[in-house]
Amino acid sequence: MSAGRLAGRVAFVTGGLRGIGHAAAARMLDEGATVIVSDLDSESDAHDLLGDLADRVGYVQANVTDEGDWARALDHVQQAHGACHILVNNAGIDLTGTVETLELEDWRRIMAINVDGVFMGTKRFVPLMAESGSEVEGGASIVNVSSIMGLVGYAEVSAYNASKGAVRLFTKGIAIEFATKGMPIRANSVHPGFVETPLLKAGFQRWVDKGVAEKPQDLVDAMNAATPMGRLAQPREIAAGIAFLAGPDASYMTGSEMVIDGGWTAQ
């Protein structure tokens, strides 16, 4: 790790209280960034969930599907720090089920969180990031957390496939837009494989409840066996990729896909 690689930069991370978001906040703090995270939880619950990070990061309670909450988040960052160099659109949910059994309400919910949230965050933060990006080496950086399921299909996750595929191509679209306009903002997507997070554990439990397996560990074992490296990823391993894309070492990367999946999609 390059100590202080993100020194002097301000980062905003959605879904920052758990899993990949929490790990990304911790990694960027360690690399010198000032970090603000958002999530749905109350201030008091957020303090508990942040643990050792609680006194080191800012927190904004916000729903990524709410334009008003995005406006408040931007105002908080602008008032507190006057800049934003890094935006990590990480908040997301999953949805499983055969296409003929999916409810339209559930389809719209996953698109609202996984896709609309990324769009609204980008739209709101771009003016401040364009201003801030001109002040730092490599410019400002938007990192959108997609998934390997945004690259390949998988049975009974078509809605999730669609949402994460949208994040992938939205990222490419804005990357070209910013670059051709000469705006000092890069945009890249991260595509994690199966990561040991609360979201994955909850998803595995739903599969168990459907009778697909007897216990969540059976599904973990199956994913381990299907992954060339033989294990699930840890959130910190995805966070390392996010921190790299956020900083000056990735200054010539925009519109790129960083796949961190233990070889899963290489098969």
Side-chain angles (χ1 to χ4, degrees):
M1 186 194 324
S2 300
R5 178 167 55 181
L6 301 180
R9 303 187 190 222
V10 177
F12 186 76
V13 184
T14 68
L17 294 183
R18 301 167 180 84
I20 293 170
H22 186 279
R27 178 63 183 251
M28 290 191 291
L29 277 170
D30 287 347
E31 297 205 22
T34 298
V35 180
I36 306 95
V37 302
S38 73
D39 221 311
L40 295 172
D41 304 74
S42 68
E43 292 271 358
S44 59
D45 288 343
H47 189 275
D48 294 338
L49 288 164
L50 284 167
D52 293 343
L53 304 184
D55 296 326
R56 301 171 60 201
V57 305
Y59 179 69
V60 178
Q61 184 179 8
N63 183 334
V64 296
T65 69
D66 188 307
E67 279 197 282
D69 281 6
W70 272 112
R72 286 194 307 102
L74 175 62
D75 185 63
H76 173 90
V77 173
Q78 200 154 18
Q79 293 295 323
H81 305 289
C84 184
H85 307 93
I86 302 161
L87 172 63
V88 181
N89 284 310
N90 166 73
I93 60 170
D94 65 0
L95 176 62
T96 61
T98 60
V99 67
E100 68 270 23
T101 61
L102 292 175
E103 297 293 339
L104 181 58
E105 179 182 0
D106 294 329
W107 171 276
R108 286 177 171 163
R109 180 169 180 264
I110 195 172
M111 294 302 167
I113 295 170
N114 291 7
V115 185
D116 296 354
V118 173
F119 161 70
M120 285 190 281
T122 301
K123 177 182 172 65
R124 283 285 178 179
F125 271 74
V126 157
L128 179 59
M129 294 186 76
E131 180 181 331
S132 306
S134 63
E135 304 167 352
V136 294
E137 181 187 354
S141 174
I142 296 173
V143 183
N144 293 328
V145 180
S146 180
S147 166
I148 56 172
M149 295 304 156
L151 300 173
V152 297
Y154 201 75
E156 298 191 26
V157 293
S158 58
Y160 188 70
N161 282 143
S163 71
K164 291 301 187 178
V167 170
R168 171 180 175 261
L169 282 178
F170 175 74
T171 304
K172 291 183 183 300
I174 59 174
I176 298 303
E177 183 176 323
F178 300 152
T180 54
K181 288 180 179 178
M183 295 173 68
I185 307 174
R186 296 176 295 104
N188 297 284
S189 56
V190 172
H191 298 260
F194 297 98
V195 187
E196 194 173 326
T197 64
L199 182 66
L200 185 73
K201 291 176 181 177
F204 280 175
Q205 185 58 55
R206 286 195 295 274
W207 282 103
V208 169
D209 294 343
K210 291 179 180 180
V212 174
E214 289 187 6
K215 55 185 183 299
Q217 187 59 45
D218 294 339
L219 296 170
V220 172
D221 292 342
M223 290 304 174
N224 288 345
T227 303
M229 289 187 70
R231 64 175 177 83
L232 300 181
Q234 295 300 309
R236 60 179 172 76
E237 294 176 299
I238 314 306
I242 292 171
F244 169 75
L245 290 173
D249 289 345
S251 59
Y252 199 57
M253 292 181 68
T254 197
S256 299
E257 305 164 4
M258 178 178 282
V259 181
I260 311 173
D261 68 352
W264 201 87
T265 55
Q267 303 177 94

